[in-house]
Amino acid sequence: MGETHTIGATSIDRDHELQRVEAALKRLEHGKFGHCLYCGDRIDLERLQHDPAIESCDTCEED
Ligand SMILES: [Zn+2]
């Protein structure tokens, strides 16, 4: 957080990552954090630990 340097494509990745994190925080506000965006199932804790801003469960990710 607070990192403002922008170097080529890296900044795009960072913006995208920021958007994912903001979306995850919004889901947290609405009590939907940790649930798949597509089917509403709970996402595995392991997946959340690996990527807290993850938006889909195992099943939907493969789709
Ligand atoms: Zn799902």
Side-chain angles (χ1 to χ4, degrees), residues 3-63:
E3 177 75 66
T4 50
H5 298 291
T6 49
I7 306 158
T10 313
S11 67
I12 294 170
D13 287 347
R14 194 165 294 158
D15 282 354
H16 182 67
E17 188 61 27
L18 194 64
Q19 278 173 15
R20 294 179 72 233
V21 172
E22 277 175 359
L25 285 175
K26 255 188 202 134
R27 290 200 295 280
L28 190 64
E29 275 177 30
H30 295 281
K32 295 198 161 118
F33 180 76
H35 288 259
C36 174
L37 217 61
Y38 305 98
C39 70
D41 273 3
R42 282 196 72 87
I43 300 170
D44 283 347
L45 197 59
E46 252 180 55
R47 285 168 70 75
L48 283 171
Q49 281 171 340
H50 177 70
D51 179 6
I54 199 157
E55 294 176 338
S56 57
C57 68
D58 249 343
T59 316
C60 295
E61 180 103 329
E62 280 165 19
D63 199 25

